[in-house]
Amino acid sequence: MLNKYPLWKYLLIIVILAVSFVYALPNLYPDDPAIQITSSSSSTEITQADVERAVKALESAKISIKGQELQARGGLIRLNQRDDQLPAKDILRRAMGDDFVVALNLAPTTPEWLRSIGASPMKLGLDLSGGVHFLLEVDMDKAISARVKVYDSEIKALLRKDRIRYTSLPAITNGGQLGFANEEDLNKARALIRKNYTEFVVEAKADSGKPVLQYVLTPTKITEIRDYAVSQNLTTVRNRVNELGVSEPLVQRQGANRIVVELPGVQDTAEAKRILGKTANLEFRLAAEPGAARASTEDFEFREEGRGPVPLERGVIITGDQVTDAQAGFDENGRPQVNIRLDNHGGDLMSRATRSAIGRSMAVIFIEQRPVTHYTKQMVDGVEKEVAVQSFKEESGIISLATIQSSLGNQFRITGLRGQGEASELALLLRAGGLAAPMYFAEERTIGPSLGAENIQLGLEAGLWGFIFVAAFVIVVYRVFGFFATIALGLNIVNLIAMMSLLGATLTLPGIAGIVLTIGMAVDANVLIFSRIREEIARGMPIQRAVHEGFDKAYSAILDGNLTTLLVGAILFAMGTGPIKGFAVTLSLGIVTSMFTAIMVTRAMVNLTYGGRNVKKLWI
């Protein structure tokens, strides 16, 4: 029978529309402004007492609180006013101290029954709801000193291999120095270093009458190291952002030594700040042999309480930079561990160092930069205020000290971690790539709507007026069929919002423009169908046959037109930047949903209204 759907097709349409309404529903629940508190160490958890202490600090400052909760990742304090977020953050940073990370957050208000089925609102871009802006500054001095330390170890190993005796001396700026017993050994060492390390300027000096050889990096090499440090850190930050799963982030270099990170729609800004700012790295060193000179050793404490210092060689075997893969797991006793894989160069260095050190102990040193906040009085806009000044303190400790049983290669494991949380975090940081140098948060702020609330409201009003004018046009021109098209158009918007929410797509201001454009384009399919029906009726075809032919014969033209537009949307998404991608996403998804509503849903309404009936006149 013409213009009749089987029952299963009606049920399918109802199910799809019902699911769309459910998953679009969370967008009616706006997020609460909130403050999130987490521990600066992944091995320490936030307690309810910590949350209560934070609440009391805010209440004493007369900041209105909507609610509080203790979550798996830390404490969350909901506020009534978004304007209270920045003052609340400053108060809690001072009240909680450096052992806690205090960050701005947006807490969801979606009902639990919706969250239990995975329904959540669309993520909004920086230009709609704001986000987090970090300006990270790379410590160039630490980048150079870290590279010099590696060179220093290699040079000493080279001298030992050629049996040239030397005495270790304190490092100098951008280089190192060694003492020798006589001029002959100094000349041999100078020739050897110049031959193998052209990046150094090598000069002989005299210190208290003893021959001393100094090697200092050339200006060209210093520039190269600085550029590499920023480039490597930029890559690492991008990898860490990818690990966080942030949609449409902005990570780019700014100037000679800074990196800009913008994270739109981030729900856990405290976690983002802790992971991005973490300068965790590893050093592998051999334990010092009995009777070793103090100048060639360095004492390190264990990270675990109650274990005394251990003297280690100053020479570093490898660092975390040589790690290509790291996965957290458990050893045979159920204790956390990290399985490490090194690159070829790191594997060669490890094999070379352990081959001749069987029976000796090797230590794994965990190094991180811990934030330290000081408050100083400064003049701000003519008023003396206390301003927080953040610096970083390097902390290092032994996490593993084990006897070398056999020569190690490019795969081994690290044990002695404080918990599975620390093991997972260390694996993440090493997997994302080591930082070539520490980075400091030179600037941190939240970003409000870049075009202002008024312009955003105008964008939403443009969509509403576009819908009204399109609906009025099709109703006036196509009468009853125009009502069908209008209903389908409204359902199309619901489907589009539901798909963006399900896929975790980020809505930006250009994305709103894409939705407005979709409203106009979605009606195109109905216009083609309705015009074809009119033509068939004008030729004298029976009404039921004309409706059937109108839908069937217009289908190929609709499909071709939408596929070409979808292809353009895919190209825009693949080659465009953030705002362009936002437009491409809504445009492409709108095309997909409009194919469903304009063809299947509209035809279902037409079939239910006219199908199987003896229609004398069609209001179209």
Side-chain angles (χ1 to χ4, degrees):
M1 184 181 295
L2 291 176
N3 302 320
K4 278 290 186 179
Y5 271 163
L7 179 61
W8 69 267
K9 192 169 286 189
Y10 287 115
L11 293 177
L12 176 63
I13 292 173
I14 292 172
V15 168
I16 292 175
L17 294 178
V19 171
S20 296
F21 273 104
V22 169
Y23 281 91
L25 191 59
N27 294 282
L28 299 178
Y29 298 90
D31 293 333
D32 283 335
I35 299 292
Q36 180 146 359
I37 307 169
T38 59
S39 173
S40 59
S41 173
S42 57
S43 59
T44 306
E45 294 184 355
I46 297 290
T47 64
Q48 186 62 41
D50 297 323
V51 179
E52 295 290 345
R53 180 156 63 98
V55 169
K56 289 180 180 179
L58 294 178
E59 288 177 343
S60 62
K62 309 298 182 183
I63 292 180
S64 177
I65 296 173
K66 184 177 181 179
Q68 56 165 296
E69 54 191 271
L70 184 63
Q71 301 176 331
R73 290 185 174 181
L76 187 73
I77 301 174
R78 296 174 183 261
L79 306 177
N80 286 310
Q81 303 292 331
R82 180 166 290 195
D83 292 341
D84 290 338
Q85 276 188 299
L86 289 176
K89 177 188 171 185
D90 293 336
I91 291 169
L92 292 183
R93 281 180 62 182
R94 188 160 190 175
M96 304 301 290
D98 294 328
D99 292 333
F100 298 88
V101 177
V102 180
L104 306 182
N105 203 346
L106 291 175
T109 60
T110 306
E112 183 59 35
W113 70 272
L114 283 173
R115 282 187 281 176
S116 65
I117 60 174
S120 59
M122 283 185 294
K123 296 178 182 178
L124 300 180
L126 286 169
D127 51 1
L128 292 183
S129 72
V132 184
H133 170 97
F134 295 123
L135 182 61
L136 303 172
E137 185 170 332
V138 182
D139 189 333
M140 293 301 192
D141 293 335
K142 287 286 181 65
I144 295 172
S145 63
R147 182 67 66 89
V148 168
K149 186 187 292 185
V150 174
Y151 279 133
D152 198 53
S153 299
E154 293 181 2
I155 289 173
K156 290 176 180 177
L158 186 64
L159 295 179
R160 289 194 297 269
K161 182 180 179 181
D162 278 38
R163 301 184 184 278
I164 301 175
R165 299 177 62 86
Y166 63 88
T167 303
S168 295
L169 297 176
I172 59 176
T173 303
N174 299 338
Q177 58 181 351
L178 299 171
F180 296 90
N182 52 64
E183 292 288 342
E184 182 181 355
D185 286 342
L186 183 145
N187 291 330
K188 289 181 180 179
R190 177 166 53 188
L192 193 62
I193 294 172
R194 283 179 173 174
K195 178 182 177 182
N196 292 276
Y197 296 93
T198 57
E199 53 268 70
F200 284 105
V201 176
V202 185
E203 294 182 350
K205 302 285 185 179
D207 184 5
S208 302
K210 295 182 179 179
V212 173
L213 189 65
Q214 293 184 346
Y215 40 94
V216 180
L217 290 170
T218 64
T220 302
K221 189 62 179 180
I222 290 174
T223 302
E224 179 185 322
I225 293 173
R226 288 175 173 172
D227 187 65
Y228 169 79
V230 178
S231 300
Q232 172 65 23
N233 282 16
L234 184 64
T235 301
T236 300
V237 169
R238 284 185 177 137
N239 291 337
R240 292 183 181 182
V241 168
N242 291 338
E243 293 277 356
L244 289 170
V246 178
S247 299
E248 297 189 22
L250 172 67
V251 181
Q252 65 183 24
R253 181 171 179 170
Q254 184 181 85
N257 63 336
R258 291 187 170 187
I259 297 173
V260 174
V261 180
E262 292 183 356
L263 307 176
V266 173
Q267 290 295 306
D268 194 350
T269 54
E271 177 74 0
K273 183 179 178 182
R274 188 167 63 84
I275 293 297
L276 290 179
K278 197 80 169 180
T279 314
N281 210 338
L282 297 178
E283 285 186 359
F284 296 80
R285 301 192 190 190
L286 291 173
E289 294 186 283
R294 294 298 301 170
S296 64
T297 65
E298 187 175 357
D299 290 343
F300 284 89
E301 300 279 350
F302 278 87
R303 299 185 79 208
E304 297 179 355
E305 299 284 340
R307 299 188 66 177
V310 175
L312 303 178
E313 290 186 356
R314 291 186 178 274
V316 178
I317 301 174
I318 62 167
T319 65
D321 295 337
Q322 277 82 44
V323 175
T324 59
D325 188 31
Q327 300 292 333
F330 296 92
D331 63 12
E332 57 274 7
N333 297 316
R335 292 181 298 227
Q337 69 177 27
V338 176
N339 299 307
I340 298 289
R341 182 188 296 272
L342 303 177
D343 58 21
N344 291 333
H345 181 60
D348 291 341
L349 293 175
M350 179 63 73
S351 176
R352 191 184 311 158
T354 56
R355 190 185 309 127
S356 58
I358 295 176
R360 294 178 60 184
S361 296
M362 183 177 70
V364 181
I365 305 171
F366 185 85
I367 305 170
E368 64 178 335
Q369 302 287 330
R370 296 291 300 276
V372 179
T373 305
H374 304 282
Y375 292 89
T376 60
K377 291 185 177 181
Q378 297 181 10
M379 297 298 293
V380 180
D381 297 329
V383 180
E384 188 177 62
K385 295 182 179 180
E386 283 195 336
V387 178
V389 179
Q390 191 178 64
S391 59
F392 283 76
K393 178 179 69 174
E394 184 174 282
E395 291 187 357
S396 56
I398 298 173
I399 60 175
S400 176
L401 181 66
T403 302
I404 301 172
Q405 303 292 342
S406 61
S407 176
L408 300 178
N410 61 352
Q411 294 186 53
F412 53 92
R413 64 180 181 175
I414 298 173
T415 58
L417 299 162
R418 290 178 178 172
Q420 184 59 25
E422 184 171 86
S424 299
E425 182 176 296
L426 178 60
L428 183 154
L429 295 173
L430 293 175
R431 188 169 59 249
L435 292 175
M439 293 188 301
Y440 310 133
F441 286 93
E443 182 181 315
E444 173 194 353
R445 68 174 185 266
T446 55
I447 300 177
S450 61
L451 300 181
E454 182 179 356
N455 284 349
I456 294 173
Q457 185 64 31
L458 290 174
L460 296 177
E461 289 178 1
L464 177 61
W465 283 109
F467 181 88
I468 291 173
F469 282 122
V470 168
F473 172 79
V474 293
I475 290 173
V476 169
V477 175
Y478 298 106
R479 304 181 185 182
V480 175
F481 279 67
F483 279 104
F484 296 154
T486 300
I487 295 171
L489 186 59
L491 295 174
N492 177 49
I493 296 175
V494 174
N495 285 348
L496 176 56
I497 293 174
M499 284 192 67
M500 292 187 68
S501 299
L502 274 170
L503 296 175
T506 300
L507 180 65
T508 61
L509 200 56
I512 294 178
I515 293 176
V516 175
L517 180 60
T518 299
I519 292 173
M521 294 181 61
V523 181
D524 287 349
N526 289 129
V527 170
L528 287 172
I529 294 169
F530 300 160
S531 296
R532 189 59 184 253
I533 294 174
R534 274 183 172 179
E535 291 175 1
E536 299 297 344
I537 292 175
R539 292 175 184 172
M541 185 177 291
I543 289 178
Q544 293 291 352
R545 172 60 64 180
V547 171
H548 177 78
E549 293 295 326
F551 276 98
D552 279 6
K553 291 184 177 179
Y555 178 77
S556 60
I558 295 170
L559 182 62
D560 292 344
N562 282 288
L563 282 178
T564 54
T565 307
L566 190 62
L567 178 62
V568 173
I571 294 172
L572 288 176
F573 182 82
M575 303 183 65
T577 56
I580 302 299
K581 285 186 176 182
F583 175 79
V585 166
T586 53
L587 178 64
S588 301
L589 292 179
I591 290 171
V592 174
T593 56
S594 67
M595 289 284 290
F596 168 73
T597 56
I599 297 175
M600 288 194 66
V601 175
T602 303
R603 186 162 192 177
M605 289 187 286
V606 171
N607 289 350
L608 289 172
T609 305
Y610 297 107
R613 298 179 183 178
N614 186 18
V615 182
K616 300 297 183 182
K617 187 174 183 180
L618 199 64
W619 292 91
I620 186 171

